[in-house]
Amino acid sequence: MMPESREMGERRFGRVNWLGLMTLAERECRRFLTVWNQTLAAPIVTAGLFLTIFAIAIGPTRGEVMGVPFVNFIAPGILMMTVIQNAFANVSSSIVSAKVQGNIVDTLMPPLSAGELVLGYLAGGIVRGFLVAIVIAVAILMFLGTGLQHPLAAIAFIIVGSAFMGGLGMVAAVYAQKFDQIAAITNFIVTPLAFLSGTFYSVEAMPPVLYEITHLNPIFYLIDGVRWSVLGVSDSNPLFGFCFGLVAAIAVNLTAWWMFRTGYRLKA
C-alpha cells in the first residue's frame, strides 16, 4: 500500500512536539551551564558580597527586624532577588542575542507552537533560577544557621518567581530590537522592582504612598513568600502572595505566547 499522503505544514507528531520542546529546553539549559562561572558562580559571589557588606556596615547596630537578626532577615530577600534576576537574564539574553545575530529564524522555523516556544525558553530560566537558589540556600544554612521553616513553600515560590521573571524576560526580549533596549529595561524596570520590594527592609517602614505601590508589585510577594518560607515571618499573607505571583506569572507568559503566536517583532 502507498503511504498516506500528508499536506505540507501538517503536524506529524501529535498535539505536542515533545522532542522539539525537550530539545529547546535542553539547549536553553546548556547555554548557561556551558559558562557556569558567569551564570551560576558570579550571582552567588554577588549575593555573598551583599550579605557581607550589610553584615559589616549595618548588622551590628541595626537590631532585630520582625523578631529576627537583620542579616538573617535580608538573606532570603537577597536569595530571591538573585533568583529572579537570573531567570530574567537567561531568557532575555537568549532571545535578544538570537535576534541581533539574525539566527532567531532557527528557532522559529522548526515545527514548534507558540506554547512550546514559551515552555522551552521558560525551562532554561526556571532551571537556572532554581540552581542559583539551591547554592545560595545552602550557604545561608551553613553560615547563618538559618533553617527552612517551610521548604515546600520555598520551592513553590522560587518556581513561580522564576516563571514570572522568565516570562517577563521573554516579553522584554521580543519587544527589544537591540542590546541597549534590553539593558534599559533591566536597569530602569527590573532592578528597581527588585530593590524596592522589601529585599532589605520591612515594607511597614515605608511611607503610605510607597507602601500601597509596593503591594502592587508581584516581586514583593515573591520575596516576602520566600522570607516566610525560610524564617516564618512575613509582611503579607503568604497564600495571597503566592496566588498573586502565580496570576502575574500566567499573565506575562500568556503575553509572551501571544507575541510568538502573532510573530510580533519577530516576523516580517
Side-chain angles (χ1 to χ4, degrees):
M1 296 180 60
M2 295 292 292
E4 182 182 354
S5 62
R6 296 178 181 269
E7 296 183 5
M8 179 145 331
E10 182 182 353
R11 291 171 70 92
R12 295 168 169 80
F13 33 73
R15 297 181 64 87
V16 179
N17 182 358
W18 292 108
L19 177 60
L21 173 58
M22 296 303 295
T23 301
L24 177 58
E26 181 181 354
R27 188 196 74 178
E28 290 304 297
C29 292
R30 284 179 178 271
R31 278 188 67 254
F32 73 84
L33 289 174
T34 302
V35 287
W36 62 269
N37 54 333
Q38 300 176 34
T39 56
L40 297 179
I44 294 164
V45 171
T46 302
L49 288 174
F50 267 118
L51 279 173
T52 302
I53 291 170
F54 277 99
I56 295 174
I58 302 176
T61 59
R62 178 63 175 82
E64 293 188 344
V65 181
M66 298 177 67
V68 297
F70 176 70
V71 176
N72 291 34
F73 176 83
I74 66 173
I78 292 175
L79 182 152
M80 193 57 177
M81 182 182 71
T82 307
V83 166
I84 60 179
Q85 288 177 339
N86 277 269
F88 178 90
N90 198 77
V91 178
S92 61
S93 64
S94 178
I95 297 176
V96 170
S97 296
K99 290 176 67 176
V100 172
Q101 294 170 4
N103 58 24
I104 187 67
V105 66
D106 295 336
T107 303
L108 298 178
M109 285 298 291
L112 290 167
S113 67
E116 290 159 357
L117 288 171
V118 169
L119 291 175
Y121 278 114
L122 202 59
I126 292 177
V127 172
R128 178 172 168 180
F130 199 74
L131 291 178
V132 169
I134 289 176
V135 179
I136 296 178
V138 170
I140 290 175
L141 294 175
M142 289 177 57
F143 294 104
L144 297 182
T146 303
L148 280 173
Q149 299 292 325
H150 309 282
L152 294 180
I155 294 172
F157 275 105
I158 288 168
I159 292 175
V160 169
S162 299
F164 169 67
M165 292 305 291
L168 192 61
M170 264 184 280
V171 172
V174 172
Y175 175 81
Q177 297 291 353
K178 50 187 179 180
F179 288 113
D180 291 347
Q181 292 177 335
I182 198 68
I185 293 172
T186 302
N187 293 331
F188 297 111
I189 298 178
V190 176
T191 301
L193 284 177
F195 275 75
L196 299 176
S197 54
T199 302
F200 305 106
Y201 52 83
S202 170
V203 295
E204 297 294 336
M206 300 182 74
V209 175
L210 287 179
Y211 177 86
E212 297 298 330
I213 294 175
T214 299
H215 281 75
L216 299 176
N217 179 5
I219 299 178
F220 157 70
Y221 293 104
L222 297 171
I223 289 176
D224 197 53
V226 171
R227 180 172 289 127
W228 173 79
S229 302
V230 175
L231 303 174
V233 297
S234 64
D235 280 310
S236 64
N237 185 306
L239 180 58
F240 174 81
F242 178 80
C243 294
F244 193 99
L246 183 61
V247 170
I250 293 172
V252 293
N253 281 284
L254 283 176
T255 303
W257 172 85
W258 172 82
M259 287 177 158
F260 282 121
R261 177 79 173 176
T262 60
Y264 176 78
R265 292 206 172 203
L266 292 170
K267 301 176 182 177

